């Protein structure tokens, strides 16, 4: 997943530690700049700003950039047993204890699952997203309720879930998949900036069918697939489907 080469650079911010920027540019094998302008060939930048690692495109340079947001979404709170309300909670279910998120991305679903109290492991194959996730999970471990409950951030496994899922020590109760679907022109369903930038940087996930088949083999009980409402179900007719605004969580049970 080196498809970010030639598209990405590290932009050093003078208020941050130069050694961190240098190490990041070496790890990712991308150039390190101290300033950028319209002639800079790369379109995307990683930069430490306001104590977080952020991803920027040229449009975001002045606005501040995107980080993995660890704050709860409206209405969410840490609870266990998991809530009965909400499409994601219903799809994962109350008999589930262990969850693997095979497509972590910006971790908004992962963090929701973590806050609901499930035992979560995250997989991500993009080295760029992994850098953003490492930074976010470090921040998460400093959050009040996480320290109070003596919790650790979810385990983060780098690499292709199609390979990793087959090598897990214990089959999780649920494997969660939210691959990148091709965009559809529909004004009301325009994706958020964070998803647009991910799609531009990484492209669509063309192996999502293979990921689904692997996940169904690797899970102990179920696979949950998040899809835009216009997409065909990834694994054929699901056992159950929970709808939320403009999207669906399709549930597939093992052995059915
Ligand atoms: C649509 S985003 C997921 C968004 C995420 N659910 C969230 O809440 O932010 C898809 C992510 O899954 C990752 N991904 C897709 N297929 C993968 C695979 N086979 N193995 C590991 N990561 C994968 C992509 O790199 C991308 O970061």
């Amino acid at each position: 997943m080196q498809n970010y080469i030639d598209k990405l650079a590290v932009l050093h911010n003078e208020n941050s530690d130069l050694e961190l920027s240098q190490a990041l540019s070496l790890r990712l094998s991308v150039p390190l700049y101290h300033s950028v302008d319209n002639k800079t060939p790369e379109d995307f930048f990683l930069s430490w700003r306001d104590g977080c690692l952020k991803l920027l495109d040229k449009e975001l340079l002045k606005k501040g950039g995107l980080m993995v947001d660890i704050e709860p979404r409206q209405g969410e709170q840490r609870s266990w047993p998991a809530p009965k309300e909400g499409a994601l909670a219903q799809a994962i279910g109350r008999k589930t204890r262990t969850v693997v998120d095979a497509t972590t991305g910006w971790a908004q679903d992962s963090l929701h699952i973590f806050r609901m109290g499930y035992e979560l492991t995250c997989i991500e194959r993009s080295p760029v997203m992994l850098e953003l996730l490492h930074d976010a999970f470090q921040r998460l471990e400093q959050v009040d309720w996480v320290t109070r409950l003596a919790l650790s951030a979810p385990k983060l496994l780098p690499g292709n879930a199609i390979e990793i899922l087959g090598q897990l020590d214990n089959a999780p109760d649920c494997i969660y998949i939210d691959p990148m679907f091709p965009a559809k022109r529909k004004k009301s369903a325009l994706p958020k900036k964070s998803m647009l930038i991910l799609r531009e940087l990484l492209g669509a996930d063309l192996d999502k069918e293979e990921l689904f088949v692997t996940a169904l083999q690797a899970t102990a009980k179920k696979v949950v697939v998040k899809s835009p409402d216009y997409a065909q179900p990834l694994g054929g007719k699901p056992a159950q489907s929970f709808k939320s605004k403009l999207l669906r969580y399709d549930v597939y049970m093992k052995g059915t």
Side-chain angles (χ1 to χ4, degrees):
M1 274 285 131
Q2 302 292 319
N3 50 4
Y4 62 87
I5 300 285
D6 296 333
K7 293 192 206 167
L8 180 91
V10 173
L11 172 60
H12 177 62
N13 170 358
E14 59 184 29
N15 298 321
S16 66
D17 184 345
L18 180 58
E19 280 182 17
L20 283 179
S21 298
Q22 286 169 331
L24 180 60
S25 105
L26 280 176
R27 276 200 302 280
L28 292 175
S29 308
V30 297
L32 171 64
Y33 298 136
H34 289 260
S35 65
V36 297
D37 59 28
N38 284 340
K39 293 193 196 112
T40 307
E42 290 81 7
D43 290 322
F44 301 99
F45 308 95
L46 281 174
S47 191
W48 264 284
R49 296 179 168 203
D50 313 316
C52 317
L53 186 60
K54 296 194 179 177
L55 179 63
L56 306 99
D57 61 8
K58 284 183 178 156
E59 189 188 301
L60 287 172
L61 278 172
K62 291 210 173 80
K63 293 188 197 157
L66 300 168
M67 59 180 177
V68 174
D69 184 2
I70 60 167
E71 293 300 321
R73 294 180 227 168
Q74 204 184 4
E76 274 181 28
Q77 58 179 38
R78 167 83 192 178
S79 61
W80 182 262
K84 289 183 189 150
E85 306 285 313
L88 178 59
Q90 287 175 316
I92 294 180
R94 301 188 103 207
K95 292 192 181 143
T96 296
R97 183 82 223 184
T98 50
V99 180
V100 171
D101 183 348
T103 56
T104 303
W106 289 104
Q108 295 310 288
D109 296 324
S110 274
L111 289 166
H112 188 182
I113 293 167
F114 177 71
R115 283 190 283 263
M116 287 194 281
Y118 294 103
E119 273 173 41
L120 177 68
T121 301
C122 295
I123 304 177
E124 174 55 53
R125 66 178 165 191
S126 157
V128 179
M129 294 317 295
L130 282 164
E131 293 289 347
L132 291 157
L133 289 165
H134 277 300
D135 169 63
F137 286 5
Q138 274 176 15
R139 284 186 280 120
L140 184 66
E141 293 197 334
Q142 316 297 320
V143 170
D144 265 4
W145 66 266
V146 176
T147 50
R148 204 172 347 103
L149 296 173
L151 295 171
S152 304
K155 195 196 275 182
L156 183 55
L157 304 178
N160 189 341
I162 295 171
E163 288 151 25
I164 294 173
L165 288 175
Q167 299 160 10
L168 295 173
D169 291 339
N170 296 304
D173 297 332
C174 172
I175 297 179
Y176 180 77
I177 311 180
D178 174 22
M180 210 109 58
F181 284 82
K184 190 184 175 201
R185 279 174 207 274
K186 186 176 168 192
K187 261 198 172 159
S188 58
L190 269 186
K192 286 190 356 200
K193 177 75 182 174
S194 54
M195 285 301 158
L196 283 173
I197 203 169
L198 207 63
R199 187 177 286 146
E200 278 173 45
L201 183 65
L202 307 179
D205 292 319
L206 300 175
D207 51 2
K208 52 184 179 304
E209 282 83 7
E210 191 183 352
L211 176 59
F212 172 78
V213 171
T214 310
L216 206 53
Q217 283 164 0
T219 188
K221 293 183 186 161
K222 61 162 81 167
V223 174
V224 173
V225 184
K226 180 176 171 184
S227 301
D229 56 359
Y230 58 80
Q232 289 294 318
L234 191 56
K237 194 172 182 303
Q240 280 177 300
S241 201
F242 297 90
K243 292 191 175 60
S244 185
K245 205 177 163 199
L246 302 174
L247 56 89
R248 251 184 11 245
Y249 298 97
D250 293 332
V251 181
Y252 296 89
M253 303 307 292
K254 177 123 182 155
T256 52

